[in-house]
Amino acid sequence: MEVNIVSEDIILSLKNVAKSYGSTRVLESINLDVYQGQIIGYIGPNGAGKSTTVKIMLGLITEFEGDIEIFGENIKTSGVAYKKRIGYVPENGEIYDSLTPMEYLSFVGGLYGMDQQVIIRKATELMRLFELEDVLHTRISSFSKGMRQKVLFIASIIHNPDLLFLDEPLSGLDANSMMIVKEILDQLANQGKTIFYSSHIMDVVEKISNRIVLLADGQIVADGTFEQLQKQNKEGSLEEIFNQLTGFHQHQEIASSFVSIVENGDSDG
Amino acid sequence: MKLTMDTRRVPTIFNDSNSDSGNQFLKSLGIYALMGLILIAFLFGDQYIFQVSIMYAIVMFIIMTSTISDFSSVLLDVRDKMIIGTKPVDSRTVNTAKVVHITIYLCQLTIAFTAIPMVIGLFNQGIIFFLLSLVVLLFVNLLILIMTALVYIIILRFFDGEKLKDIINYIQILLSISMIIGYQLVARSFEFVDLNVNFSFEWWHVLMPPIWYGAIYEIVLNGVTDLSYIILAILGVIIPLIAIFLYIKLIPSFERNLEKLLSNSGKHKQAKEWWSRFWSKLFVWNREEQVFFDFATRMLKNERDYKLKVYPTIGMAFIFPFIFLITDFTSRSLDELRDGNMYFSMYFSLVLVPAGIQMLQFSTNPKAAWIYRAVPVKNENVCHRAVLKAFLVRLFIPVYLLLSVFFLVIFTERVLSFLIVLMLVAALYSRICYQVFLKNVLPFSESYRVGQSKQSGEVLALLALTIALGLLHYGMTLMTFGPYILIGVLLIINAILWRK
């Protein structure tokens, strides 16, 4: 991994952030400072609270404990202006799919305060680079998962945000598009943008992030560069570190009982 | 052995997909049973060609619209191909299961709708009438099913992908509307003086299936042997049979073409938007509001579920005022009509407003509403106002303008003040409807499946409100300067409400 110029400006800071749904505690006191130009790989098992954290920072969830500062301002009191400098790709490709990409992008861009002419120019260019120019005026409902993901990705950066939240942004993309997106993220970070990236694909996280934050049971259990994590845990790949830190060792047993159920089930059916 | 097992398994898959709405389906059957009571009125007397034709017109109308609106999803389901197609199930079993499912559905619907009238018919008209009705109902159902399927087959042959879904959507809407008109037409296709029905055979009667079945009754129960009746009766029997034959022939190509539903191909042009452009220049001043307005007009234009639920109401909003005019016209001359107050029937066009606004909260992708929160929008009211304006511009104003033109022609310029008041009332009324339905929800942020039937009480109350508004308006016209005072008051109220 090449060395990024990481400045000392804190873009994002979480202090004692906690969240409960009724009696279940989803997040326990998260503390995190994010500096400009970092690509944070935010990982953790299913249900660890990754998406919840992202949604809180975005203002999609407004009820939480603790304080969050984005661009130096507390989001509870600062109003909505900070959202103008943020881009977000949601996890399950949720999009109004009866619209065409152009209609959707001009809606989103317009809400970010962009001029219609600029949106149309930018959107056309970006769609062309993703080889989607033919479907600019086709309903998104007929798109494949990867195509939707590309549209959402464009929608998240069309207004040139300084901070990007990406929830599984590569799901459904083919290998070539994945390379393009990874390279885009890298170059954006070099331009001083900050990227907050959550994913389950460890190989990708390992390659593109210059800082990895591991969340388990609503708490940060590891934080540092991949090299630092390696040193602390004496394990080879991020996947193995992940398993170790989340206390998960039974994958072989689970797999073999799974296989044996599949095979035995056949005889009584 | 395996075949029976499979046939059993497949319907359960269908049932699964319906299970969450199962309760609602039973409820809707109850409503159909209630509506079926209308039929009883046509069971007395022996002018069969007249009564029975109307009866079957109603039956066909109800069953066909519900088949189209509820059931096309099953008929056109391609997803089951993926679920079942990968399992070792014969395609023939799947088709059997489909047919079984459709048959069950149609039977339930027909029984619910006609059971009570049939029993009354049994006592009133005797056993032959009852048995004949059973047979005829069977044919009617067949005809409806096959007609629906054939229409789909024809469209599927010529179009593909997105275009096709659009066309199906429009046909669904169109059929629902034309059934409303057709029902009116049947009632009017007889010149009846007192109760002596004067049925004269016209060539276009051949095109109206309900009359075919009326003719059968006439032949069997009244012993009429007129040639025209026999032709009609034969048509009633033969057409369904031909249709079945055609359907079976065409099923394979139908299945093949169904797969087109999943594909998309070809470039699409950008839609033209001069209409909403024009109105947004007039009514939308704020930039943020402009963005929401564009978004909402495009959503309204593209959301098929929305169109399917609301467009039939547009048809009603457009046709109802005329139905009342025509009813009045048959008893009076044009001059009398022109001097009368029947232009108040235009108030019926307001039915569109609550129906359309209620649906604004729903979307096929309710979860996509995260976007409202992720962007820097200070004031949600801007969004609400823009969406409501988009609704009025896209759906209500076209209906209003068209009706206005017709009414100006019929009633001359003396209804001008009436029309202005009506527009202001509509603006006020829509604002009220919006408050009722979207007080706590963002537009396009709820799923259609949830809570659609929850608000029927509100709809009724709002419809009652239109009547109240209409009466108030009528009361004001009795005063000398009434309409002008009303315009002034409404302008002020609207200005206050829309500023929020």
Side-chain angles (χ1 to χ4, degrees):
Chain A
M1 169 161 304
E2 67 257 65
V3 182
N4 286 315
I5 314 125
V6 175
S7 77
E8 290 305 304
D9 293 335
I10 295 180
I11 291 292
L12 174 68
S13 145
L14 280 75
K15 289 196 184 74
N16 301 320
V17 172
K19 167 83 192 164
S20 332
Y21 288 112
S23 57
T24 39
R25 198 108 173 123
V26 192
L27 289 180
E28 305 256 8
S29 180
I30 304 272
N31 286 291
L32 189 66
D33 283 332
V34 176
Y35 298 93
Q36 193 188 356
Q38 281 185 326
I39 302 183
I40 310 265
Y42 196 52
I43 57 177
N46 292 329
K50 297 189 303 285
S51 294
T52 310
T53 328
V54 172
K55 281 180 182 160
I56 288 176
M57 290 188 282
L58 273 167
L60 296 184
I61 298 172
T62 44
E63 297 290 308
F64 62 93
E65 296 157 43
D67 286 303
I68 296 178
E69 281 183 11
I70 295 180
F71 309 123
E73 280 185 80
N74 190 321
I75 62 165
K76 273 185 179 166
T77 51
S78 68
V80 292
Y82 79 94
K83 291 183 185 174
K84 215 169 187 162
R85 295 168 63 192
I86 292 180
Y88 172 54
V89 175
E91 55 187 329
N92 291 325
E94 283 140 1
I95 189 166
Y96 283 119
D97 65 11
S98 53
L99 297 178
T100 69
M102 185 52 100
E103 288 169 346
Y104 186 76
L105 291 173
S106 64
F107 171 54
V108 175
L111 290 180
Y112 284 121
M114 292 171 70
D115 186 72
Q116 284 298 318
Q117 294 309 315
V118 179
I119 298 171
I120 291 169
R121 188 171 48 76
K122 265 187 159 179
T124 317
E125 284 295 297
L126 292 171
M127 290 287 281
R128 191 175 55 76
L129 289 174
F130 272 140
E131 293 178 346
L132 291 176
E133 76 260 48
D134 282 351
V135 291
L136 251 178
H137 301 297
T138 306
R139 282 162 195 263
I140 299 171
S141 56
S142 65
F143 284 19
S144 69
K145 182 96 202 295
M147 288 159 85
R148 278 163 188 253
Q149 206 64 32
K150 287 177 188 173
V151 176
L152 278 164
F153 186 67
I154 294 174
S156 74
I157 54 172
I158 195 166
H159 57 298
N160 191 22
D162 295 320
L163 176 58
L164 260 177
F165 292 104
L166 308 174
D167 215 338
E168 286 288 358
L170 300 181
S171 68
L173 293 190
D174 61 61
N176 294 337
S177 315
M178 239 190 238
M179 294 232 308
I180 300 175
V181 174
K182 279 193 274 187
E183 188 57 34
I184 293 172
L185 295 181
D186 211 45
Q187 293 193 14
L188 285 174
N190 281 327
Q191 302 280 325
K193 314 271 185 213
T194 312
I195 294 158
F196 204 90
Y197 180 105
S198 79
S199 176
H200 292 295
I201 312 165
M202 294 302 138
D203 304 349
V204 178
V205 176
E206 188 182 317
K207 282 204 196 82
I208 65 169
S209 357
N210 47 29
R211 181 174 164 197
I212 292 168
V213 175
L214 204 162
L215 196 70
D217 298 325
Q219 277 177 312
I220 294 176
V221 291
D223 182 0
T225 63
F226 177 56
E227 289 76 19
Q228 286 169 335
L229 293 192
Q230 259 182 329
K231 268 181 213 145
Q232 286 163 17
N233 297 285
K234 298 177 191 123
E235 297 271 0
S237 72
L238 184 60
E239 197 170 27
E240 286 160 327
I241 298 172
F242 182 89
N243 290 347
Q244 195 193 355
L245 285 172
T246 52
F248 184 78
H249 306 290
Q250 319 96 318
H251 62 280
Q252 274 179 339
E253 294 103 87
I254 293 182
S256 49
S257 21
F258 195 97
V259 170
S260 71
I261 291 171
V262 169
E263 289 189 333
N264 290 333
D266 226 24
S267 53
D268 19 88
Chain B
M1 179 65 193
K2 193 171 170 176
L3 202 98
T4 48
M5 201 177 81
D6 284 342
T7 27
R8 266 184 221 145
R9 193 196 300 156
V10 178
T12 53
I13 292 173
F14 286 127
N15 287 342
D16 277 348
S17 60
N18 287 345
S19 61
D20 48 345
S21 58
N23 232 333
Q24 216 158 328
F25 181 64
L26 277 182
K27 250 187 241 162
S28 71
L29 281 185
I31 292 170
Y32 284 124
L34 259 178
M35 279 160 60
L37 297 179
I38 304 169
L39 297 180
I40 296 171
F42 299 103
L43 285 172
F44 299 95
D46 54 3
Q47 303 283 352
Y48 295 110
I49 186 100
F50 173 59
Q51 300 156 347
V52 174
S53 296
I54 291 184
M55 198 172 93
Y56 280 111
I58 298 171
V59 171
M60 288 180 81
F61 167 57
I62 298 291
I63 296 180
M64 187 130 182
T65 43
S66 41
T67 317
I68 289 164
S69 61
D70 303 348
F71 216 64
S72 51
S73 57
V74 177
L75 213 61
L76 297 175
D77 202 349
V78 218
R79 274 169 308 165
D80 63 336
K81 266 238 149 88
M82 298 209 217
I83 305 168
I84 303 163
T86 54
K87 315 270 185 303
V89 180
D90 200 348
S91 77
R92 196 194 274 162
T93 28
V94 175
N95 282 334
T96 325
K98 259 189 181 174
V99 171
V100 168
H101 188 197
I102 294 171
T103 316
I104 292 172
Y105 174 83
L106 277 176
C107 285
Q108 280 176 323
L109 195 67
T110 317
I111 291 170
F113 191 61
T114 56
I116 302 170
M118 287 298 265
V119 172
I120 292 174
L122 176 64
F123 288 115
N124 189 33
Q125 300 276 359
I127 187 87
I128 303 172
F129 178 88
F130 180 73
L131 292 177
L132 187 63
S133 300
L134 279 186
V135 177
V136 170
L137 274 176
L138 187 77
F139 273 107
V140 167
N141 270 334
L142 266 179
L143 190 67
I144 289 169
L145 177 63
I146 307 286
M147 259 164 56
T148 317
L150 280 178
V151 168
Y152 286 145
I153 288 175
I154 291 163
I155 307 163
L156 279 162
R157 280 197 84 92
F158 294 108
F159 302 97
D160 70 322
E162 290 299 302
K163 192 82 195 154
L164 169 76
K165 282 186 203 154
D166 269 341
I167 293 173
I168 290 176
N169 190 227
Y170 280 120
I171 296 246
Q172 287 173 332
I173 294 159
L174 226 153
L175 265 174
S176 313
I177 296 173
S178 62
M179 279 306 216
I180 300 175
I181 309 170
Y183 161 51
Q184 288 296 320
L185 252 173
V186 171
R188 258 157 252 296
S189 72
F190 303 91
E191 305 158 20
F192 55 99
V193 189
D194 295 330
L195 259 175
N196 294 319
V197 180
N198 227 336
F199 180 80
S200 55
F201 183 74
E202 306 271 351
W203 65 269
W204 50 268
H205 285 152
V206 172
L207 299 177
M208 307 190 81
I211 299 181
W212 303 343
Y213 297 104
I216 293 182
Y217 279 78
E218 199 77 13
I219 290 168
V220 175
L221 294 171
N222 277 359
V224 178
T225 47
D226 196 275
L227 181 66
S228 57
Y229 282 74
I230 294 174
I231 293 174
L232 288 172
I234 289 174
L235 276 176
V237 179
I238 288 206
I239 297 280
L241 294 177
I242 294 176
I244 294 176
F245 180 71
L246 260 175
Y247 180 65
I248 293 168
K249 276 259 160 180
L250 288 173
I251 269 189
S253 76
F254 182 49
E255 296 279 315
R256 235 178 301 123
N257 284 317
L258 267 185
E259 274 146 43
K260 281 186 183 174
L261 280 174
L262 287 181
S263 67
N264 69 307
S265 57
K267 282 189 187 184
H268 293 254
K269 280 199 194 114
Q270 193 168 8
K272 294 189 181 67
E273 297 175 319
W274 60 271
W275 172 263
S276 49
R277 280 277 128 73
F278 169 72
W279 289 100
S280 77
K281 279 214 182 85
L282 268 182
F283 287 130
V284 186
W285 305 293
N286 176 321
R287 240 184 76 121
E288 205 169 56
E289 193 174 339
Q290 175 72 51
V291 174
F292 276 117
F293 179 85
D294 286 346
F295 164 68
T297 27
R298 287 163 181 165
M299 286 296 281
L300 292 180
K301 193 182 77 208
N302 290 349
E303 281 256 329
R304 297 199 181 93
D305 285 335
Y306 183 85
K307 285 197 220 169
L308 189 56
K309 298 235 150 71
V310 175
Y311 278 29
T313 330
I314 298 184
M316 276 160 65
F318 188 71
I319 291 159
F320 271 9
F322 287 110
I323 288 175
F324 283 86
L325 283 191
I326 291 167
T327 322
D328 200 48
F329 183 55
T330 47
S331 58
R332 284 196 285 179
S333 72
L334 184 64
D335 285 334
E336 277 177 304
L337 180 75
R338 187 168 277 178
D339 292 332
N341 286 321
M342 278 313 286
Y343 53 81
F344 270 91
S345 66
M346 206 170 145
Y347 261 88
F348 280 99
S349 62
L350 289 183
V351 291
L352 170 61
V353 175
I357 289 177
Q358 184 191 11
M359 291 297 154
L360 283 176
Q361 35 185 330
F362 303 117
S363 159
T364 334
N365 314 95
K367 283 189 173 162
W370 61 266
I371 190 74
Y372 295 116
R373 302 254 178 256
V375 293
V377 174
K378 283 182 216 81
N379 190 350
E380 262 174 30
N381 284 337
V382 174
C383 160
H384 286 304
R385 197 166 58 199
V387 172
L388 182 54
K389 279 180 186 171
F391 163 78
L392 286 175
V393 165
R394 174 120 195 113
L395 298 176
F396 184 74
I397 291 183
V399 173
Y400 169 81
L401 284 181
L402 255 171
L403 277 175
S404 297
V405 170
F406 281 113
F407 274 59
L408 277 173
V409 170
I410 297 172
F411 292 103
T412 69
E413 73 287 346
R414 78 191 176 92
V415 290
L416 211 57
S417 71
F418 167 81
L419 291 174
I420 294 169
V421 172
L422 185 66
M423 188 64 232
L424 291 170
V425 167
L428 170 69
Y429 181 59
S430 61
R431 192 74 210 185
I432 296 169
C433 291
Y434 198 90
Q435 275 304 309
V436 170
F437 290 120
L438 283 99
K439 204 163 69 185
N440 301 316
V441 280
L442 287 162
F444 310 116
S445 66
E446 300 279 322
S447 161
Y448 279 109
R449 255 179 290 168
V450 190
Q452 203 181 16
S453 55
K454 268 193 278 181
Q455 294 168 317
S456 46
E458 278 98 326
V459 175
L460 278 178
L462 285 168
L463 286 178
L465 181 65
T466 53
I467 296 169
L469 286 169
L471 285 176
L472 175 76
H473 185 176
Y474 181 72
M476 291 299 276
T477 52
L478 298 178
M479 285 160 39
T480 345
F481 290 107
Y484 304 102
I485 299 169
L486 201 56
I487 289 175
V489 173
L490 283 170
L491 270 175
I492 294 165
I493 298 176
N494 269 311
I496 295 167
L497 276 179
W498 282 85
R499 201 161 289 276
K500 263 207 302 186

